[in-house]
Each structure stands twice: as C-alpha cells, then as structure tokens.
Amino acid sequence: MNPLSLRGSRDAAWATLWRFLAGIVAALLWLLPAQAGTLGRAGMEKNFPPPLVVGERDDRIPVWPILKQEAGSYEVIAYAFESIDFARIPGFGGTAPNLLIALAPDGTFRDAKVITHHEPVFLEGLGSEPLFAFVEQYVGLSARQPIRVGRPNARAAGAAPATTVDGISMATASTRVINETMLTASLAVAREKLGFGAVNSGLRVEAKPDFEPLTLAELERRGWLKRWRVTPAEVDAAFAGTGLSDPDPGPADEAFADLAIAYLNVPTIGRTILGEAAYARLMREIGPGGHAVMVVSSGRWSPLPEDFVLGSVPDRLTLQQGGLTVNARDAAWERRDLAPDLPAGPWTILKIGDAAGFDPSAPWSLSVKVTRERGQIFPEKVAREIATEYRLPPDLFTREVPDAGPSWIDSWRARGVELGIIAAALALLVPVLSRQEALVARPQAFSLFRLGFLAFTLGFIGWYAQAQLSIVTLVGAARAAFHTGDFGFLLYDPPSLLIWAFVLVTLVIWGRGTFCGWLCPFGALQEFAAWLARPLRIRQITVPPRLDRALRQVKYVGLAAILGAAILGSPLADSLSEIEPFKTSITLYFVRSLPFVLYALGLIVLNLFVYKGFCRYLCPLGASLAVAGRLRLLDWIPRRAECGSPCQLCKVRCRYGAIAPSGRIDYPECFQCMDCVTIIHDPTQCVPQVLAAKRGKRAVLQPVAAE
C-alpha cells in the first residue's frame, strides 16, 4: 500500500494564496474599467432611417416606437429596444450580450442585430460575422412561439423553420445564451406593449369537462353570461373635460350599447349558447390552451362597425387582465347555432392564443372604445374607453404550471450522450491513478492506456465535445462575482462544467497534475507533437535552473493581469486571454486568422525543444490550478530516504522539472505523468532498490516533505 501522509500545516499555502490575491490588485491599478453605453435617439435613427420615423421613447419602459406613414397617417410598425434593458443574461465571457430588437405589433421580429458581445469564441475566433448571421435568423419568426437552437443546418435537415434557428458549431453555449436573451427581452416588451408574453407565464388554465344543463336565463343569473348595458349618461361622463360631453342626442331610456359577454370554454356556457356540435368545433379550432370569448351587441352603437373584417382584431373591443392588454382576434365565425334568446345584433367570438398567458379563472375586463369628433374644418378625434369586469368561479377550472425547468436544461438534455461518455472516462481514470502499484505490474499496458486516454482527451473531449477548459471561464466567473452576480452562464456548457467539477475535486487530492497531465486537450496535443522530436533527432533544451525558476513566474503574472482586468471590468481581459492557444488549436481547429495560427503552431514547435514550455511558463489556467493545488491534503507521490541523496534518477527523468535536487516533489509543477511513480516501484529501475537487492536488503518507502 502506498504511503500517503497528511500535511501537517497549510499555513504556508494560505500565505502564498493571500500574497497572490493581493498582487492581482496591486499589479493592475493602471487598468481602467470598461464603460458600457446604450443607444439613444441618434442610435435608433441610424438603425431605422427614413422613411421610417423613430417616435418618442416610452415614459415607462426603454422602448422606442418605430413609425411609418400609411394612407396619410403614421402607424407603429415595430417597437425597438435593447436587450440589455430587459435581460442581463451573462454570456460565456461573463458579460451579457446586447441586442437591438424590433418587435412588430403582431409579435414577429422585424429586425434583430448584435450591438455588443464578449463571447470568446467569436472574439478574434470565428469572428463576429457568424454571430450576426445567427441573430438575423430571428427576423420573421414570432415571439409568440418557443424558439429553440438546433444543430448547424437544422432547418435544412427538416427542423420546423418557424420555431428553430440553426446553431453554430463550436459555439453551442453562446448561441443558447443569445437565444434566451432574445426571447426573455422580447417577451418582457410584449407583455407591456403587445398584450402577450405571459401575464401568467407558463400557467395553463383549462375549463373542467363537467357539464350542467342550464338555461340562458340561469347562466345570466349566475353571471356566467354577463349582460352589460352602457347608458348615454355613462358615455357623456367618460368625455367629461374634453369639450365633447354634451348629452347624447338619443332617447334617455335607450341603451347606448347593450352587450352580452361569455367565456365559452366552460362546457356549461359554451354548449348552452352554441350547441354541442358547434361547441366541439370551436374547441378544435382554438386548440389546446386557447380561449374563446363571445361578445354579442344590441343597441344603437356597436363595437363591430359595418366595415369590420372577419379574422381581424376589433379596434373597439379590448380585453385586459392584470393591467395588461390580452391579444384577442376575431375567430372568423359566421353567426349560427346560437341560443335563440341572445341579442340579435352584431357579434364576435374573440380567440385568445396560448402564448397570451390568459387566466380565465381570474377576473378580467372588457372595454369598449367610443370615439367623438370636435371641430369642422380639421376635425379632431377623441377616444375614451369604458370597461366592465367579468369573472367566473375558480372551481370551474384546473390550473397547472408546467415545470419545464430553466433554459439551460436543454443544453444538458442535448448533450446527454457526451456527458455519459466523459463521466465514464473520468470514472475509469480515478482507479488507474489511485492504484499506483498496478502501474508497475504492467508498465507497457499503462503506457498504452496513457496514450489512449490522451488521444481521447484530444479527439473527444477537445475537438468533438469542445470541453477544453480555459482561463476564459475564470474571467467570466470574476466578472460575475464582482459585477453581475450571475453564474448561470456556466450551466450552458455541460461537458466543461463536468470536467471543472472533477478537476476541483482532484485538486484537493492530487493537485494540478490531473488536469494538466490527463484532461487538457492542448496538453495532449503537445505530448503527441513531442513524439516528432525523436525521429527528427531534435535534442531537448535544458533550461538553466535559475532561468527556469524565473520563467515559471511568468504564468502567475499573466494570471494576475487577466483576472485583474476582469475584476476591474476592463475588456482588456478578453485580449489578454489570447495568451492561451486553446481557442485557436482546439475550439476552432486552427481555422483562424494567420497571427493566431502562427502563435499556436509556434508553441507546438517550441514544445519540440522545451518540453511543454507553454504549460510550464505561460499557461494562466495552469497557474490558477497551481495556486489552488497548494491547498491539497495529500503528498501522494512515494519517496525514499535515498531520493535526492544520492539518487537523482527521478529528477533527471522528470521532463517537467517538478523534482528538486533534494528529491522533494514540487506539486504545483507536477503534471502527474506517473513516470517517477513507475520508477520508484520498479526494482529494475529504482537505484536504491537495485543496490539493496545486491546487498540482500529491501529499500523502504517513506514520506518526504514536498516543496
């Protein structure tokens, strides 16, 4: 059994950590925070040039009406707004993207553009053009329908074009954040301006199937069929103070309007009024989650003028609930099969879609709009609304709030197979690394296993699953901790999050080496590239110890600069993060602008001469893991009393320079290649064992304090 020793004290590690954190701020006082800006009128007019007209910004919410002249008057064709005002959802860089969205009155996207973003994969990676093209796909789609991000070319492969946008390879997490931003912001505006977008988001209220045979008079007596009589006096009172409140010229005892109002989904109401066959047809037409409200008019004024078009939105009738307008459209039914006792005037059945979030079990109101004119040469129209409340007993309905879960759930479901494969690989890695004596029993098998696992890391974890861990994640976390407070962006990349969780656990046990030596795709790429050194007869350069120690500090300076910029809110953090070649070589498969490709290839060439020079001297992610790894609980690499004095075999063989001349292990620089573990357990390689065997003795393993 391998000797494992608990560290006696972690005071030195804590002191190192605190000095490092203090240095982050002290080293970067010259950095200035980024200033965020939003579009004003000038920006809106630039995006919506003539003949369009930008109206006055709404006094309640930051929304600009976009007008167009039609038939001599200006009509609102869209409501324009910035997503950052309604949905601050951090992207994968930890900063929320900002989109310019123009939502038409019918809920369709008239325009969609990217104003700003900090998505790492698009910053000097794929370039912003694929993101711009992704967002443009929303134009023509409707915010009334759920829109999902499919795979690349999903719509060409048969996905519904009205509810699916094509995803972008290598940018799954970013596109899902953009999609949630687009829909969350749009529905927030739709609730305020268009009357849909969930007064009761996600709520499904359905009428119970129970039927009680009642007469029309009994429905009216219960208030389920509401008769609403609007008198001339009420209309005159509505126009008080406008100069148009003169008494109505009609007879005082005659109703200005006489309306009958009924919610038809309840079988007792709908079947009584329409008849069983017509009620069944109506329910089929409005579909699951839809609602139908009937309004029948008598009296000398009608809410349905003679030129009313079937299927349109009645201009004189408005449904409201919770202070918000509910979008209702005529169902285009002809008058037939109605109860004979209903008024004989104009009528409509208003259809309310499932997306409106309408709750028929709660009170709602119906208002009529009455218009009067003043002036003769240039008459001015003045409109006033008169409303009445309608309510039904809640026990006529069932209420259900579907638990669809948060939006990031889709990411986990879509990548379930990848997660399962990675989890199985991690579960296999743990016993291999923990059972050290088994490595010695079959060293060739272990060597093949290591090569195979590194190939899996590079090919599957890196290039296929796109789960290369990066300093970019820490930049996003720093921005979230100091600015947004929202760490939800981490949940949109499940494979990376799974590996992060595994790495954080193994940091406590083994330190930095588990990730850097086994789970880093770029590290695996460097190891495979290093094989070329032998057939090419390239001799490795031995860096002088003093220079080596100085170079190892460079990665900590880089880490401090990057995190300092992120904490201060500077976009410089994104630029400094490009010290990592991971995006170029792993995420983008070297398909990038020439300077980045040359940089990544240069590091691989450097690896032929200075083994893993980037990992040892430049990698900011490795630096962060090295700092956190100082808090590990165990010194798990076995040592002997002879290690370092006189035996230097492990030190000479360690290509990472993680073993001091004294034989002590420098765990923050250890990549867990297991070469020294193999040597110390192999009686044919370990010098103390070879000498002890010649003397007929046995060399004993014993703990040696780490560096």
Side-chain angles (χ1 to χ4, degrees), residues 398-448:
T398 60
R399 297 167 58 90
E400 178 185 358
V401 179
D403 185 13
S407 59
W408 51 262
I409 289 292
D410 288 341
S411 302
W412 290 77
R413 291 172 179 166
R415 310 193 72 176
V417 174
E418 297 170 26
L419 289 170
I421 294 174
I422 294 175
L426 298 180
L428 175 63
L429 184 61
V430 170
V432 170
L433 297 181
S434 59
R435 297 181 58 192
Q436 297 179 11
E437 293 183 2
L439 305 181
V440 182
R442 303 182 64 184
Q444 291 184 343
F446 172 73
S447 178
L448 291 175

Side-chain angles (χ1 to χ4, degrees), residues 435-505:
R435 297 181 58 192
Q436 297 179 11
E437 293 183 2
L439 305 181
V440 182
R442 303 182 64 184
Q444 291 184 343
F446 172 73
S447 178
L448 291 175
F449 171 81
R450 175 168 171 77
L451 291 177
F453 200 94
L454 290 177
F456 169 82
T457 295
L458 176 60
F460 188 85
I461 293 180
W463 284 332
Y464 181 81
Q466 293 288 291
Q468 166 78 65
L469 301 193
S470 169
I471 192 64
V472 170
T473 304
L474 299 185
V475 168
R479 285 171 171 160
F482 288 88
H483 299 286
T484 67
D486 188 349
F487 292 87
F489 71 95
L490 297 170
L491 299 172
Y492 286 89
D493 189 7
S496 296
L497 188 59
L498 174 61
I499 296 175
W500 270 114
F502 181 82
V503 169
L504 292 177
V505 172

Side-chain angles (χ1 to χ4, degrees), residues 120 123-126 578 580 583-584 588-597:
L123 292 173
E124 297 296 340
L126 294 172
E578 291 295 344
E580 286 184 340
K583 186 191 302 181
T584 301
L588 302 177
Y589 312 109
F590 292 98
V591 181
R592 203 179 181 188
S593 57
L594 187 61
F596 293 99
V597 174

Side-chain angles (χ1 to χ4, degrees), residues 84-166:
I84 200 73
D85 292 323
F86 299 93
R88 292 178 176 268
I89 302 172
F92 208 66
T95 301
N98 191 17
L99 312 174
L100 174 62
I101 304 170
L103 201 61
D106 64 357
T108 59
F109 293 101
R110 185 179 179 90
D111 201 0
K113 298 177 182 177
V114 178
I115 301 175
T116 59
H117 75 92
H118 292 84
E119 294 307 290
V121 72
F122 296 111
L123 292 173
E124 297 296 340
L126 294 172
S128 293
E129 287 75 16
L131 179 60
F132 297 160
F134 171 80
V135 170
E136 288 173 0
Q137 294 180 88
Y138 288 83
V139 176
L141 302 185
S142 175
R144 296 177 184 273
Q145 295 179 297
I147 300 174
R148 59 179 292 270
V149 179
R151 294 185 177 274
N153 301 315
R155 294 197 286 186
T163 58
T164 305
V165 291
D166 293 338

Side-chain angles (χ1 to χ4, degrees), residues 527-567:
E527 291 210 29
F528 286 121
W531 282 2
L532 296 175
R534 291 184 180 180
L536 294 177
R537 298 183 178 181
I538 297 175
R539 295 187 61 182
Q540 293 278 310
I541 297 175
T542 301
V543 181
R546 187 171 181 178
L547 178 59
D548 178 74
R549 287 192 296 272
L551 290 175
R552 289 179 190 271
Q553 304 307 310
V554 174
K555 61 180 178 286
Y556 295 103
V557 175
L559 173 65
I562 294 170
L563 292 186
I567 291 171

